[in-house]
Amino acid sequence: MRNPLPHLAAGLALALILAGPARADDERLTLARDIVTKTVARNLTQAFKQAEEKTLSGLSAEQAAKMRPDLDKTFAEERDTLVDQLSKEYAQKFDVPELKRLAGIYDDPVYQKFQALNADPTSMVTTITKDAVTKMMNLLSLAALSQQGNGQTPQGPAPTPTPAPAKP
């Protein structure tokens, strides 16, 4: 009878070799998911909750209570889909050391303080940003309106008048 140990050892070694990349992929996906959850998903959740409250504040308490569960459920599903898709994309684009470095940046207390200040709707940073964005959007709106005939100069040659049909 042949000794099965060499074949078993070879099979185990092959399984470990093949599992190595899978474990690295799993680790990348786990790291990427952690980063996306701490950043994009958290910010998106905060923004949605603020917008939801603003939207529902115009309704009666009863109407708002009826709508909130469906809104929250749909949002959670969409957020989870976003987290899955972004996590997979980042896991493909970054290796484990890069993802660990990114995670370290996002875990840094100074960075978290910076992000919290930017996310705080009552902070002066948010006010300054909103004012600047509003001015820029207004500028773009004015530029678009001016191109719709309000003071626009014709481009190219003037149109040639069409002669009137001859009268019998």
Side-chain angles (χ1 to χ4, degrees), residues 17 31 67 87 97 101 105-107 123 131 141:
I17 290 169
L31 286 165
M67 290 185 74
S87 299
R101 185 170 177 201
I105 291 167
Y106 290 119
D107 290 339
S123 77
D131 289 347
S141 295

Side-chain angles (χ1 to χ4, degrees), residues 26-47:
D26 289 346
E27 185 177 7
R28 286 196 336 234
L29 187 58
T30 299
L31 286 165
R33 182 175 301 283
D34 183 52
I35 291 167
V36 171
T37 300
K38 288 178 183 175
T39 58
V40 177
R42 189 183 82 205
N43 293 341
L44 185 62
T45 300
Q46 289 173 343

Side-chain angles (χ1 to χ4, degrees), residues 14-164:
L14 181 60
L16 289 174
I17 290 169
L18 293 175
R23 269 192 260 131
D25 289 347
D26 289 346
E27 185 177 7
R28 286 196 336 234
L29 187 58
T30 299
L31 286 165
R33 182 175 301 283
D34 183 52
I35 291 167
V36 171
T37 300
K38 288 178 183 175
T39 58
V40 177
R42 189 183 82 205
N43 293 341
L44 185 62
T45 300
Q46 289 173 343
F48 178 79
K49 286 296 177 190
Q50 289 172 359
E52 179 184 49
E53 289 309 314
K54 188 174 183 177
T55 300
L56 295 179
S57 69
L59 304 175
S60 71
E62 184 179 296
Q63 289 173 317
K66 281 183 180 179
M67 290 185 74
R68 186 172 279 110
D70 286 337
L71 291 171
D72 291 345
K73 179 183 176 205
T74 302
F75 170 76
E77 291 168 356
E78 292 299 321
R79 183 198 56 224
D80 292 348
T81 299
L82 175 77
V83 168
D84 286 343
Q85 291 173 346
L86 286 177
S87 299
K88 289 174 186 172
E89 188 66 21
Y90 291 140
Q92 289 177 0
K93 304 291 187 219
F94 295 92
D95 61 26
V96 170
E98 290 171 327
L99 289 166
K100 286 182 177 180
R101 185 170 177 201
L102 282 170
I105 291 167
Y106 290 119
D107 290 339
D108 182 273
V110 174
Y111 181 78
Q112 289 177 0
K113 180 179 177 181
F114 175 78
Q115 285 297 88
L117 185 61
N118 287 326
D120 180 0
T122 63
S123 77
M124 187 51 109
V125 169
T126 302
T127 302
I128 292 167
T129 302
K130 282 181 182 176
D131 289 347
V133 169
T134 300
K135 287 177 185 175
M136 287 182 253
M137 296 306 291
N138 287 340
L139 177 65
L140 292 173
S141 295
L142 289 173
L145 284 173
S146 72
Q147 295 300 313
Q148 293 177 357
N150 297 339
Q152 179 184 5
T153 56
Q155 300 295 318
T160 307
T162 306

